[in-house]
Amino acid sequence: MPELPEVETIARGLSKRVTGDVIESVWLGQKKEPLKTPADVMAAALEQTRISAVRRMGKHIVFDLDRLESAPRMASSANGKRQDHALRKRPRANPAALKQQANRGVPGTRAQWIVHLGMTGRLQVCDPRAEVEKHTHAVVKLRSGREVRFVDPRRFGRLSVATSAGFDATGIEPLEVDVETFIHLFRGRRTPIKSALLNQKLLRGVGNIYADESLFRAGIRPRRRASSITRDQLAKLRQAVKQVLQEAIALGGSSISDYVDADGAEGFFQLQHRVYGREGEPCLICKTGIRRMVIAGRSSHYCPRCQR
Ligand SMILES: [Zn+2]
């Protein structure tokens, strides 16, 4: 499963390649699972828009889309205006309103295409002549002649569209959270700190590997109750989380799973894990054997001496 640093790397790669390009047409496959928004609604929302940005939110990749002035799907003006007015009163669009709005095609409206890669999802930017891989669920044709393709053999990935209200991932960005907010998030919790770090409603996008690595750097055992951790230790943990994620982003995400970067090139450099996946191997600091335990169904790796 791609974690935050991989998703950040992929989003940056996509941003470099497709920002400013225009989506001319969209093909969506027959499989239902990847589509959280109905195919016709998604296609209508994407076609004839300019990609103004590609960025990461949590573990989602968000394409910001601006509808073009010359949109051929533009609805008749009187009808369009009335719907626009009705929608403004209801910013949280229900599916019917979403459909109306997506199909409306009014110039200047904004939408977002949201991609979650799941376990095995990949986004490729490629030449249209490149062979279409098995398990391709979406092909987005760009004005530049290239295509963005979504390929996902196991189909845990998700594609959706958000309109005017905008996409709102839960939780707080771990790279942006300040000390007080971080302490406030974890201070009162009775769950193990490892579970709290993985709770996407608190911080978004911190996965298993980076949670273990952060706890090691902060000297905190994964099973410790969050509520028993001091403010100073929490401040240290926040630093560790940021550091670990930033180092991994600098390396291009660690290569654990089956995905490729936006060019389709395989292989990221791997952050050297200090505890993750090193059960039985000596701690890099004190030489004690690294231990593994299961917390909330996930493997946790730690040094029994360096982490308390
Ligand atoms: Zn140690």
Side-chain angles (χ1 to χ4, degrees):
M1 159 113 43
E3 294 213 33
L4 185 152
E6 290 84 43
V7 178
E8 175 75 26
T9 304
I10 293 163
R12 285 182 189 179
L14 286 162
S15 174
K16 255 193 280 176
R17 290 166 184 86
V18 304
T19 298
D21 216 329
V22 168
I23 297 176
E24 304 243 283
S25 64
V26 175
W27 173 90
L28 296 162
Q30 296 296 312
K31 301 283 186 212
K32 268 183 285 180
E33 298 94 329
L35 302 181
K36 273 180 78 185
T37 301
D40 55 337
V41 179
M42 185 174 300
L46 265 59
E47 288 173 357
Q48 300 306 315
T49 62
R50 185 180 303 281
I51 301 168
S52 61
V54 185
R55 60 210 164 88
R56 177 191 61 78
M57 281 178 81
K59 287 193 218 175
H60 295 86
I61 297 167
V62 178
F63 292 73
D64 289 316
L65 308 173
D66 291 332
R67 185 150 296 283
L68 295 181
E69 292 300 323
S70 55
R73 285 167 181 271
M74 197 164 137
S76 71
S77 58
N79 193 22
K81 266 175 197 156
R82 199 162 58 237
Q83 287 178 357
D84 194 35
H85 180 68
L87 278 163
R88 258 202 300 275
K89 284 182 171 168
R90 279 179 292 150
R92 295 183 68 91
N94 60 39
L98 185 74
K99 183 163 184 165
Q100 270 184 342
Q101 193 186 27
N103 285 326
R104 216 167 29 138
V106 173
T109 51
R110 313 192 79 167
Q112 291 169 321
W113 188 40
I114 299 140
V115 179
H116 193 285
L117 298 172
M119 303 280 287
T120 53
R122 287 181 282 132
L123 279 167
Q124 305 170 322
V125 179
C126 55
D127 187 282
R129 286 163 300 185
E131 193 186 339
V132 177
E133 279 185 46
K134 209 176 162 187
H135 309 296
T136 296
H137 305 292
V139 177
V140 173
K141 288 185 173 296
L142 302 175
R143 187 169 285 175
S144 62
R146 293 170 305 167
E147 294 179 350
V148 177
R149 297 179 186 170
F150 177 69
V151 183
D152 188 5
R154 296 191 60 188
R155 300 204 298 272
F156 288 109
R158 294 291 178 262
L159 306 175
S160 62
V161 162
T163 49
S164 53
F167 175 62
D168 185 22
T170 61
I172 295 175
E173 268 303 323
L175 291 174
E176 291 161 15
V177 63
D178 62 67
V179 183
E180 284 309 316
T181 308
F182 189 91
I183 289 169
H184 181 76
L185 281 180
F186 295 103
R187 201 65 212 276
R189 306 213 159 241
R190 300 170 63 85
T191 54
I193 184 65
K194 172 71 184 281
S195 312
L197 277 177
L198 294 180
N199 183 345
Q200 301 295 304
K201 288 177 189 148
L202 304 177
L203 290 183
R204 63 181 179 219
V206 178
N208 202 37
I209 299 170
Y210 298 105
D212 279 7
E213 293 298 311
S214 305
L215 287 167
F216 175 74
R217 292 191 189 195
I220 300 167
R221 280 207 195 188
R223 187 115 76 186
R224 273 274 294 280
R225 276 175 191 235
S227 56
S228 76
I229 301 172
T230 65
R231 287 177 58 91
D232 283 356
Q233 283 178 305
L234 283 172
K236 205 172 162 190
L237 179 58
R238 168 184 162 270
Q239 249 345 97
V241 168
K242 282 187 150 179
Q243 226 173 50
V244 164
L245 292 174
Q246 272 159 354
E247 282 174 26
I249 289 168
L251 288 170
S254 46
S255 172
I256 290 290
S257 188
D258 172 33
Y259 59 86
V260 288
D261 73 12
D263 267 340
E266 267 181 82
F268 287 109
F269 294 102
Q270 190 164 331
L271 180 77
Q272 194 198 3
H273 301 316
R274 299 185 189 172
V275 285
Y276 184 84
R278 297 192 65 240
E279 185 184 8
E281 292 176 40
C283 170
L284 298 175
I285 293 172
C286 73
K287 309 275 191 276
T288 306
I290 298 298
R291 289 193 197 159
R292 187 181 80 95
M293 64 163 90
V294 175
I295 298 172
R298 309 294 300 272
S299 276
S300 294
H301 306 78
Y302 68 102
C303 170
R305 192 155 167 208
C306 295
Q307 290 171 261
R308 299 284 169 181

